[in-house]
Amino acid sequence: MRYEDFYRQSIDEPERFWGEQARLIHWDTPPERILDQSRPPFRRWFAGGTTNLCYNAVDRHLAERGEQLALVAVSSETGITREISYRVLYREVNRFAAILQSLEVGRGDRVVIYMPNMAEAVYAMLACARIGAIHSVVFGGFASHNLALRIDDAAPKLLICADAGMRGGKVIPYKPLVDAALAEASQPPPHVLIVDRGLDPQMTRVAGRDLDYARLRAEHMNAEVPVAWLESNEPSYLLYTSGTTGKPKGIQRDVGGYAVAMALSIRTVFDIAPGQVMFSTSDVGWAVGHSYNVYGPLIGGATSLLYEGLPTRPDPGVWWRLCEQYGVRTMFSSPTGIRVLKKQDPGWLKKYDLSMLKWLFLAGEPLDEPTAEWITQGLGVPVIDNYWQTETGWPAITLMPGLDLKPVKFGSPGLPAPGYRMKVIDEATGREAKAGEKGVLVFEPPLPPGCLSTVWRDDERYVASYFSHFKELLYSSLDWAIRDADGYTTILGRTDDVINVAGHRLGTREIEESVASHPAVAEAAVVGVKDELKGQVPVVFATLKQDAGDGAAAVAQAMQLRVVEQLGGVAKPSRVYVVNALPKTRSGKLLRRSLQALAEQRDPGDLSTLDDPGALDEVRRALERGPDQGS
Ligand code: AMP
């Protein structure tokens, strides 16, 4: 089918379109209504239908493809590869689900999962889905404070963690971070279930609270746990993401809509049919990891390759070797991942037989043209940039090679995916921008299936964060965009204080709060500054209290350390500048955009509201002098 017709039908006749797509999954009870829009901007897809993500991802495939590989978990860190068939996956998920039940975790209870890319993380997610518990996977690169914030918001009944992760051959113990997070949290769960790979011999356990997965698994080897049939709009999982405040938002996903979006996108966007192999390099803790390392490929009856390790270890050919070995058809990674490889010998791209590889998808941050060109030529396969957000759960702007591939235009992720009523509108007037005019990317309700249902336990925040920016009820992506005459959209960056470091979304406010918690710091401003490898990096400008005592360099170093300890290495400020004053408006608002512009050697823009011009000179001098910490 032509893309244009497919898309048009999804917009003009949404109930007919999605009613047909709903047949891609198994329903225990068919939906009573395809779309319930009685309370906009909320919407309920497939209302009254009952289904289950785990059933669709595992049980449904047993008859036809029980012996086929469902998951290949490769770790270049531990050197261990595990090949797991659908039948084995079924057994493991049932054991895990029985463990959850033995710990009195049931339907609607939250379970926080803090693990690297390992098979047990997938078992844990699917086991939660099986019994109707709501998982919330927290990225392993986040440190204790970030974990504590998420625990307090989700109020979980159980936390599941690994003893440790590994990065570049170095063991990173997780358990001490869990202990610190639980000490900080006001809603700590009664139990911690530890999947111990024996990586951290020093790991300590709290008697009565901490439980050993291997021991409990042995007690449930033959368990069969019935599937909980959930109404389509019950929550399936939470995934926290950064916004403009210091408090992350719990993006809430439903069951039926998400399952349908996964079943549709794995075929038409990612061009994966049952039995084919998909390799997504994302961490399970991110939105891509949920959708295309776990649910998408498994709901689609495919094989998912899950990789723990760096793209450059043991050598920069490791991804391509895996593509050859497992016959990967579609690979999914991030522009930063490719920029890392671009620094290596391009010969690695030609060393392996990639005749099975058809597509490389890249997402999470802007894909710069030189990188797109380098990898397209190096691999000899089309590179598909696709735009989405944690909120959308699947691509909102993309090309759809599984349906009908439109021409790739470097610099643009392409055209709207089915169901996305996309517009680019003028920020001030709310009118639709003409081709070539910059505006804000918005989606008219109803959001398609798969997108967030709300913010966890905070409907008001859902409306305030996403639907209150314009007179009309529109979902604001909070991204600037521009559309060309063919309808191809290019993303020009965020309209808010969110920054994108190596494809990881971080709130500058979260980093500012962490920096400002240092007793010597009076005030801090954090901005995202362009970086050749990571897209953006966080840069701190801070003023110190008068009696700060230690020298600027010592405090700057302590600020950097504090962020790593509280938030994690992903948020580490690349540079810290100690200044005597920060540029502010007369009403006291920090002029972050001017700071960012100066740090990127650009014009600082409109300064009519600037209170003290001296503060800007102060920043200029600091930039010339060089950072007090970092390079
Ligand atoms: P996250 O929620 O972490 O996936 O981050 C979403 C944000 O990443 C979006 O709002 C964009 O700012 C950015 N982003 C994601 N994909 C792309 C892309 N293909 N091109 C440009 N920016 C992107």
Side-chain angles (χ1 to χ4, degrees):
M1 195 186 213
R2 272 177 11 121
Y3 160 80
E4 290 83 350
D5 302 331
F6 199 66
Y7 177 71
R8 249 325 355 123
Q9 201 195 86
S10 77
I11 299 302
D12 295 345
E13 297 175 275
E15 301 205 32
R16 192 174 133 208
F17 179 87
W18 290 109
E20 269 169 34
Q21 303 307 324
R23 295 202 203 118
L24 294 170
I25 68 156
H26 172 86
W27 296 90
D28 190 56
T29 324
E32 285 158 21
R33 282 184 71 179
I34 299 302
L35 174 61
D36 168 6
Q37 281 197 89
S38 51
R39 200 166 64 101
F42 300 91
R43 85 291 183 223
R44 300 172 74 241
W45 285 104
F46 312 116
T50 62
T51 184
N52 181 284
L53 286 177
C54 178
Y55 183 88
N56 276 286
V58 185
D59 304 44
R60 196 164 66 118
H61 305 305
L62 291 179
E64 245 186 88
R65 49 191 74 255
E67 309 319 314
Q68 180 200 304
L69 289 181
L71 190 66
V72 180
V74 178
S75 173
S76 63
E77 297 289 353
T78 63
I80 295 171
T81 292
R82 289 153 79 192
E83 297 183 342
I84 298 144
S85 67
Y86 272 98
R87 196 164 310 285
V88 172
L89 182 62
Y90 173 81
R91 297 264 15 106
E92 293 294 352
V93 169
N94 274 277
R95 288 167 191 147
F96 216 123
I99 297 175
L100 296 180
Q101 286 185 329
S102 74
L103 299 173
E104 289 171 15
V105 175
R107 187 167 179 161
D109 290 334
R110 275 80 57 212
V111 174
V112 167
I113 300 174
Y114 186 59
M115 295 168 92
N117 273 8
M118 54 197 279
E120 286 80 359
V122 179
Y123 303 162
M125 291 164 79
L126 293 168
C128 287
R130 187 170 196 83
I131 62 169
I134 302 167
H135 61 68
S136 176
V137 184
V138 177
F139 172 53
F142 282 145
S144 57
H145 176 64
N146 256 334
L147 181 56
L149 284 177
R150 286 157 175 76
I151 290 170
D152 277 343
D153 197 69
K157 200 98 177 255
L158 178 70
L159 187 146
I160 306 171
C161 71
D163 60 332
M166 280 183 77
R167 198 176 155 78
K170 203 174 135 227
V171 171
I172 302 166
Y174 278 25
K175 184 61 182 7
L177 300 176
V178 169
D179 289 338
L182 294 185
E184 184 183 331
S186 54
Q187 304 244 36
H191 290 296
V192 175
L193 180 65
I194 306 163
V195 181
D196 185 4
R197 293 193 287 180
L199 295 176
D200 177 14
Q202 262 97 53
M203 184 172 72
T204 56
R205 293 177 172 80
V206 176
R209 186 195 73 182
D210 296 350
L211 307 167
D212 185 55
Y213 165 71
R215 195 178 61 74
L216 291 178
R217 178 177 172 272
E219 290 174 14
H220 297 283
M221 289 306 281
N222 300 318
E224 296 267 351
V225 175
V227 162
W229 297 111
L230 306 176
E231 198 278 334
S232 178
N233 295 279
E234 284 184 54
S236 57
Y237 68 78
L238 309 178
L239 184 51
Y240 283 86
T241 192
S242 299
T244 41
T245 69
K247 190 174 171 247
K249 286 190 282 249
I251 299 304
Q252 179 177 320
R253 208 79 74 200
D254 68 2
V255 181
Y258 183 64
V260 172
M262 289 301 99
L264 169 73
S265 59
I266 199 72
R267 277 310 279 266
T268 56
V269 178
F270 295 98
D271 191 29
I272 287 284
Q276 295 180 334
V277 185
M278 167 115 187
F279 176 15
S280 159
T281 65
S282 172
D283 189 278
V284 284
W286 302 115
V288 178
H290 282 64
S291 294
Y292 299 109
N293 295 19
V294 183
Y295 289 111
L298 296 180
I299 287 175
T303 301
S304 173
L305 189 60
L306 184 73
Y307 177 68
E308 179 188 33
L310 300 176
T312 47
R313 259 177 67 99
D315 57 60
V318 57
W319 283 357
W320 318 116
R321 193 158 53 248
L322 289 170
C323 284
E324 176 187 281
Q325 192 179 347
Y326 289 99
V328 171
R329 177 181 178 83
T330 298
M331 173 139 177
F332 192 167
S333 190
S334 67
T336 294
I338 302 303
R339 286 193 293 261
V340 167
L341 292 179
K342 210 168 136 199
K343 294 185 162 224
Q344 312 286 334
D345 177 359
W348 287 108
L349 301 179
K350 300 283 179 213
K351 207 165 175 277
Y352 297 98
D353 175 6
L354 298 181
S355 52
M356 297 285 280
L357 187 68
K358 289 281 174 285
W359 319 103
L360 173 66
F361 282 77
L362 298 174
E365 55 180 318
L367 172 60
D368 55 289
E369 286 190 39
T371 302
E373 222 168 298
W374 179 81
I375 193 68
T376 305
Q377 281 174 10
L379 291 179
V381 304
V383 171
I384 317 271
D385 181 2
N386 61 129
Y387 163 89
W388 46 310
Q389 307 183 303
T390 303
E391 288 83 350
T392 66
W394 61 294
I397 306 177
T398 187
L399 299 182
M400 301 181 65
L403 185 73
D404 161 31
L405 181 66
K406 297 290 161 199
V408 171
K409 288 193 194 180
F410 286 155
S412 165
L415 303 162
Y420 286 90
R421 298 166 180 270
M422 199 185 93
K423 277 184 173 173
V424 175
I425 63 170
D426 183 282
E427 193 190 25
T429 62
R431 273 202 299 270
E432 195 154 2
K434 293 197 196 77
E437 268 177 20
K438 177 178 166 177
V440 180
L441 178 72
V442 300
F443 304 123
E444 262 176 33
L447 293 178
C451 293
L452 78 169
S453 340
T454 185
V455 173
W456 173 244
R457 287 195 170 156
D458 203 343
D459 284 354
E460 269 175 38
R461 195 168 176 202
Y462 170 72
V463 178
S465 303
Y466 301 109
F467 290 94
S468 305
H469 299 269
F470 303 99
K471 259 203 260 100
E472 267 180 88
L473 201 58
L474 294 169
Y475 171 91
S476 175
S477 68
L478 302 167
D479 276 307
W480 297 111
I482 194 162
R483 251 205 286 205
D484 73 8
D486 301 326
Y488 278 61
T489 302
T490 295
I491 305 296
L492 303 170
R494 299 279 303 192
T495 65
D496 60 1
D497 294 326
V498 162
I499 63 173
N500 199 316
V501 180
H504 305 328
R505 173 161 156 190
L506 299 170
T508 51
R509 296 294 163 90
E510 293 164 51
I511 306 176
E512 279 169 10
E513 281 181 15
S514 175
V515 167
S517 72
H518 188 284
V521 174
E523 197 174 14
V526 173
V527 293
V529 175
K530 260 206 182 98
D531 180 82
E532 228 179 72
L533 185 68
K534 297 181 173 177
Q536 283 187 311
V537 288
V539 169
V540 177
F541 294 89
T543 56
L544 302 189
K545 288 181 185 154
Q546 279 193 337
D547 54 353
D550 290 338
V555 180
Q557 193 184 18
M559 287 185 230
Q560 197 184 42
L561 199 69
R562 184 164 280 241
V563 174
V564 173
E565 276 173 8
Q566 291 190 341
L567 305 182
V570 279
K572 181 179 176 179
S574 164
R575 300 185 282 285
V576 180
Y577 295 89
V578 173
V579 289
N580 289 323
L582 290 168
K584 288 186 187 172
T585 63
R586 279 182 280 281
S587 58
K589 257 184 89 185
L590 278 167
L591 280 166
R592 290 189 184 76
R593 285 195 195 168
S594 302
L595 275 174
Q596 182 191 41
L598 287 178
E600 291 181 347
Q601 290 157 349
R602 287 186 286 113
D603 184 274
D606 177 15
L607 296 174
S608 56
T609 57
L610 180 66
D611 185 33
D612 167 19
L616 221 54
D617 295 334
E618 170 69 15
V619 169
R620 283 198 184 95
R621 276 196 298 276
L623 286 165
E624 267 168 33
R625 196 178 63 221
D628 296 281
Q629 173 67 19
S631 52

